[in-house]
C-alpha cells in the first residue's frame, strides 16, 4: 500500500489535510460531528446490540439511534466484538449480535471501529481461555489461538472496519508492568503476545489503523500506568511492531470534591502534556476512544455537577484537540441512561452519573456544549 493510500484509508472519510494545510472555515457547528468535521475530524460513540424496542443503547432503539444519527459519523461496539461475545469456545465463533450492528452502521453511512481484537487482561478473557490447555507446544498453540481470532474477525468485516483496538489494557496500572495471562504464559511473555497480535492484524487488515488502547489517565495516581504505557510504546518502536496510534480511553474523573474543576485541570495539564508529547514524539497518532466523565466527587445537585463536569471536560478536550495528531473522538455512549458507569461504578448516593453528552432522558447537557466548543476550536489536523 502506498503512503497516500494508507493515509486515505486511515482518514476513513474524514477530510484529509496535508501538513500545514488550512482547514476551510466551517458553517456554525451545532452538533458534535459537525463541530468535529469543521476541523477535519470525526466524532463517534459506542453503541450496543438490542432487539427492536428494547430500552438499550442500541441501534434498534429509535431514541438512541436518533442521537447517533444526529451527532456521530463513526461507531464502535461497546461489548459485541469482544472475545467473550464472539468466541464462546476455542473452535467456535458467534457473530449473531455483532453482524446486525455492522450491517446497520454500514447501511446508515457510519464508519466503524473494532473493539477489541485482544483485551489483554485475564479478568475479561472468556473462562475457556483462562483455563485453556495449550498442549505440548504452548507457544505455537497460543499464537494459533490468537491469530485464528484476529484473522477470522478482520476477514469477516474487511474494509467495513477501518480502525481496530488491536490490544486493549495490557499494562497493569498498579505497577506499570505488562499483565500476565494464559496467553502470555503460553507464548513466553506478554510482549510476544502483543507483537504477534499487531503483526497478525497488519497482515490480515493492511487497510486498517492499528491502535493500542488503554486508560492511563491524567488524574493523580496514574503515574505508573502512564510510564508503563510509554515503555510499551517505546518497545513497539524498537521491535518494529506495526502500531499506528495510541487510543486514549479518556474515562476522566472528578473523584474528590472539586469546587473549581478548571483549576484542577490546569494543575494536571503539564504532566499530561509531557505524556502526550512523548507519545507523539515517537510518531504515534492519538485517538480518544471512550470519552466520558465520572462525577463521583461532585454533589448530587444537577447545576453544580453539570458545570463541574463540563468545565473539566472542556479543559481536557481542549488539550487533546490541541494535538494535530489527534483525529477521531469517540464517547463511550451518548446518554447517561445506558452508561456503563451506572452499574460498573455507581455513585455512593445512587444518583445517576452525568458523564455523557445527553442525560437519561435524552436532553443535551452543559457537557454537550463543552464538547462542541472544544471540537470546534480544535487545532488543525495533521495525519502523519
Ligand atoms: C465496558 C462496557 O462498557 C461494559 O458494558 C462491560 O461490562 C465492561 O466493559 N475500557 C474498555 C471498554 O476498553 O471495553 C470497557 O467497556 C470500559 C473500559
Amino acid at each position: 500500500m502506498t503512503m497516500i493510500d494508507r493515509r486515505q484509508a486511515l482518514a476513513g472519510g474524514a477530510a484529509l489535510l496535508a501538513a500545514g494545510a488550512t482547514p476551510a472555515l466551517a458553517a456554525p457547528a451545532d452538533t458534535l460531528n459537525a463541530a468535529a468535521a469543521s476541523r477535519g475530524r470525526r466524532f463517534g460513540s459506542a453503541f450496543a446490540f438490542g432487539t427492536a424496542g428494547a430500552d438499550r443503547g442500541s441501534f434498534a432503539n429509535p431514541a438512541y439511534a436518533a442521537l447517533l444519527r444526529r451527532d456521530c459519523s463513526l461507531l464502535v461496539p461497546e461489548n459485541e466484538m469482544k472475545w467473550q461475545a464472539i468466541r464462546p469456545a476455542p473452535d467456535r465463533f458467534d457473530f449473531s449480535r455483532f453482524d446486525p450492528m455492522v450491517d446497520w452502521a454500514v447501511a446508515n453511512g457510519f464508519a466503524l471501529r473494532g473493539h477489541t481484537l485482544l483485551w489483554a487482561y485475564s479478568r475479561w478473557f472468556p473462562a475457556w481461555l483462562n483455563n485453556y490447555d495449550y498442549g505440548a507446544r504452548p507457544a505455537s498453540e497460543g499464537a494459533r489461538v490468537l491469530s485464528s481470532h484476529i484473522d477470522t474477525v478482520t476477514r469477516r468485516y474487511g474494509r467495513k472496519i477501518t480502525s481496530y483496538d488491536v490490544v486493549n489494557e495490557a499494562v497493569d496500572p498498579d505497577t506499570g508492568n505488562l499483565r500476565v495471562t494464559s496467553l502470555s504464559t503460553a507464548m513466553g511473555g506478554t510482549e510476544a503476545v502483543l507483537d504477534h497480535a499487531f503483526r497478525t492484524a497488519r497482515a490480515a487488515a493492511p487497510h486498517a489503523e492499528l491502535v493500542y488502547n488503554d486508560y492511563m489517565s491524567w488524574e493523580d495516581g496514574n503515574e505508573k500506568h502512564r510510564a508503563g504505557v510509554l515503555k510499551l510504546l517505546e518497545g513497539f518502536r524498537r521491535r518494529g511492531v506495526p502500531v499506528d496510534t495510541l487510543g486514549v480511553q479518556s474515562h476522566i474523573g472528578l473523584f474528590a470534591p472539586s469546587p473549581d474543576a478548571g483549576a484542577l485541570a490546569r494543575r494536571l495539564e503539564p504532566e499530561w502534556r509531557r505524556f502526550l508529547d512523548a507519545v507523539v514524539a515517537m510518531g504515534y497518532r492519538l485517538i480518544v476512544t471512550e470519552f466520558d466523565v465520572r462525577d463521583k466527587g461532585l454533589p448530587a445537585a444537577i447545576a453544580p455537577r453539570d458545570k463541574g463536569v463540563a468545565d473539566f471536560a472542556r479543559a481536557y478536550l481542549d488539550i487533546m484537540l490541541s494535538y494535530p495528531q489527534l483525529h477521531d473522538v469517540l464517547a463511550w455512549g451518548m446518554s447517561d441512561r445506558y452508561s456503563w458507569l451506572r452499574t460498573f461504578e455507581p455513585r455512593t448516593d445512587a444518583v445517576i452519573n452525568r458523564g455523557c453528552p445527553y442525560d437519561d432522558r435524552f436532553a443535551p447537557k452543559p457537557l454537550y456544549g463543552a464538547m462542541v466548543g472544544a471540537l470546534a476550536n480544535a487545532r488543525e489536523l495533521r495525519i502523519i
Side-chain angles (χ1 to χ4, degrees), residues 24-274:
L25 279 179
D30 60 354
T31 70
L32 292 163
N33 192 59
S38 76
R39 304 301 292 162
R41 291 178 171 79
R42 298 185 297 188
F43 185 82
S45 174
F47 76 136
F49 176 79
T51 48
D55 191 13
R56 301 202 62 205
S58 154
F59 66 95
N61 171 358
Y64 195 74
L67 303 185
L68 300 179
R69 282 208 176 86
R70 178 168 191 269
D71 284 292
C72 299
S73 61
L74 120 121
L75 299 176
V76 61
E78 182 171 355
N79 288 305
E80 293 79 356
M81 209 198 90
K82 294 170 180 170
W83 283 59
Q84 279 183 335
I86 61 173
R87 193 144 182 203
D91 51 359
R92 203 151 50 79
F93 287 84
D94 176 359
F95 296 105
S96 58
R97 290 156 73 90
F98 189 39
D99 276 354
M101 296 171 70
V102 173
D103 291 346
W104 185 85
V106 170
N108 288 278
F110 293 95
L112 264 175
R113 302 201 65 245
H115 174 84
T116 166
L117 292 172
L118 178 65
W119 197 342
Y121 186 178
S122 41
R123 175 178 180 192
W124 301 104
F125 272 20
W128 69 259
L129 187 57
N130 280 325
N131 303 320
Y132 192 65
D133 177 1
Y134 290 88
R137 297 181 60 223
S140 58
E141 178 60 6
R144 191 197 64 78
V145 169
L146 181 54
S147 10
S148 64
H149 190 88
I150 293 173
D151 287 342
T152 302
V153 176
T154 53
R155 295 217 169 108
R156 185 176 189 88
Y157 299 108
R159 288 180 172 267
K160 291 175 184 165
I161 297 181
T162 52
S163 173
Y164 282 99
D165 293 332
V166 178
V167 174
N168 196 37
E169 300 183 357
V171 175
D172 180 342
D174 296 332
T175 60
N177 297 331
L178 296 175
R179 299 184 200 272
V180 173
T181 63
S182 72
L183 270 174
S184 70
T185 305
M187 291 178 68
T190 306
E191 287 177 353
V193 177
L194 309 190
D195 294 3
H196 184 69
F198 280 102
R199 292 195 167 116
T200 306
R202 172 83 355 128
H207 67 282
E209 173 189 40
L210 305 186
V211 178
Y212 174 72
N213 192 47
D214 209 332
Y215 59 91
M216 63 294 122
S217 196
W218 72 335
E219 298 86 2
D220 299 327
N222 292 301
E223 295 75 13
K224 286 192 176 146
H225 200 177
R226 290 193 294 263
V229 168
L230 285 183
K231 194 169 156 214
L232 176 64
L233 295 178
E234 281 159 18
F236 284 147
R237 284 295 185 247
R238 211 173 34 248
R239 301 192 298 278
V241 182
V243 184
D244 301 312
T245 304
L246 174 66
V248 183
Q249 290 188 3
S250 307
H251 298 290
I252 62 173
L254 290 155
F255 303 113
S258 317
D260 186 347
L264 171 60
R266 282 191 293 281
R267 182 172 70 67
L268 299 175
E269 176 170 354
E271 200 170 326
W272 182 235
R273 280 194 182 276
R274 271 195 289 282

